[in-house]
Amino acid sequence: AQSVTQLDSQVPVFEEAPVELRCNYSSSVSVYLFWYVQYPNQGLQLLLKYLSGSTLVESINGFEAEFNKSQTSFHLRKPSVHISDTAEYFCAVSSDMRFGAGTRLTVKP
Amino acid sequence: DSGVTQTPKHLITATGQRVTLRCSPRSGDLSVYWYQQSLDQGLQFLIQYYNGEERAKGNILERFSAQQFPDLHSELNLSSLELGDSALYFCASSIGQGYNSPLHFGNGTRLTVT
């Protein structure tokens, strides 16, 4: 069975600082990996995905994630965060779309 | 706007009652997923339907049931409700059976059991 672990439940950072949200997965087969974002009182929205090809994937709002097969990781990074990035972030691995426990990113002014 | 519509937005009911949550998937999507989100359990996968057939089952209680109709909308039925069933219930849809198809989420139905 596949599973996904998000190593940090909360990540507080200051505005314009870099951030990394960590995600590790376990799988014995090829995987597809996703990051979703949930803003308050909303459903989850796809942020980015890795299906195949380049191991570095980017979103339109400056986030990027790198698929690392040897370390079974898919960490999410942003070089400079904004207040508006405050949200809950979920990592998901393919199979039956199970999600990690989520990481609450809080960007402080 | 994800294109996924969930009704109602809010539902308040008493223990022991039964409720039905409704989901209309994004146009063209054949798969519908149901999730339960609560503070203590996180986002729990309940069940998936693909083109009317049950495709995968997660942590769904026996008191809960779901179905997907020929027009592809789906309903989640929750019965003999308990206080612990209070949560946000999300529906999501995708174009394929899963695996490499991203999910599109509705805004959820907030269920409060008193």
Side-chain angles (χ1 to χ4, degrees):
Chain A
Q2 300 180 8
S3 67
V4 57
T5 302
Q6 291 183 244
L7 298 163
D8 307 293
S9 61
Q10 297 188 57
V11 174
V13 295
F14 286 103
E15 194 173 17
E16 298 184 5
V19 71
E20 178 180 79
L21 307 184
R22 296 180 293 169
C23 172
N24 285 91
Y25 68 93
S26 65
S27 174
S28 58
V29 298
S30 297
V31 296
Y32 305 112
L33 296 158
F34 306 82
W35 275 100
Y36 288 81
V37 59
Q38 184 180 26
Y39 298 104
N41 300 314
Q42 294 185 26
L44 281 71
Q45 303 171 32
L46 179 68
L47 191 58
L48 45 74
K49 62 187 178 188
Y50 170 77
L51 302 181
S52 65
S54 172
T55 57
L56 185 66
V57 290
E58 299 177 353
S59 73
I60 58 173
N61 57 354
F63 282 94
E64 63 178 31
E66 185 162 18
F67 170 56
N68 189 319
K69 188 174 181 179
S70 62
Q71 297 187 8
T72 61
S73 68
F74 190 56
H75 300 333
L76 183 69
R77 302 183 182 96
K78 188 170 186 179
S80 176
V81 293
H82 303 291
I83 299 285
S84 59
D85 292 324
T86 294
E88 186 112 21
Y89 292 80
F90 293 89
C91 183
V93 64
S94 61
S95 74
D96 49 12
M97 278 302 175
R98 293 180 193 270
F99 287 77
T103 298
R104 181 168 297 279
L105 173 65
T106 303
V107 182
K108 300 179 286 187
Chain B
D1 182 12
S2 68
V4 178
T5 304
Q6 288 189 249
T7 56
K9 286 187 170 56
H10 302 276
L11 202 47
I12 301 174
T13 189
T15 54
Q17 294 299 304
R18 172 189 169 94
V19 297
T20 297
L21 312 183
R22 183 186 168 100
C23 169
S24 293
R26 198 178 63 138
S27 178
D29 285 357
L30 298 178
S31 273
V32 167
Y33 303 73
W34 286 99
Y35 289 86
Q36 179 193 58
Q37 186 178 38
S38 59
L39 284 176
D40 55 342
Q41 299 272 357
L43 193 63
Q44 296 287 316
F45 167 68
L46 296 178
I47 197 164
Q48 177 201 358
Y49 281 83
Y50 175 76
N51 204 20
E53 300 290 326
E54 185 182 300
R55 174 73 177 81
K57 216 165 189 175
N59 303 323
I60 189 166
L61 300 172
E62 285 191 11
R63 302 183 285 109
F64 295 1
S65 65
Q67 55 184 324
Q68 186 179 28
F69 295 88
D71 67 352
L72 300 178
H73 91 271
S74 178
E75 292 180 356
L76 178 67
N77 300 297
L78 314 176
S79 61
S80 303
L81 285 167
E82 303 175 358
L83 295 178
D85 297 328
S86 295
L88 199 49
Y89 290 84
F90 284 108
C91 168
S93 70
S94 70
I95 195 165
Q97 294 191 50
Y99 299 9
N100 65 348
S101 300
L103 302 187
H104 302 271
F105 282 80
N107 284 332
T109 292
R110 183 170 295 281
L111 173 67
T112 303
V113 182
T114 61

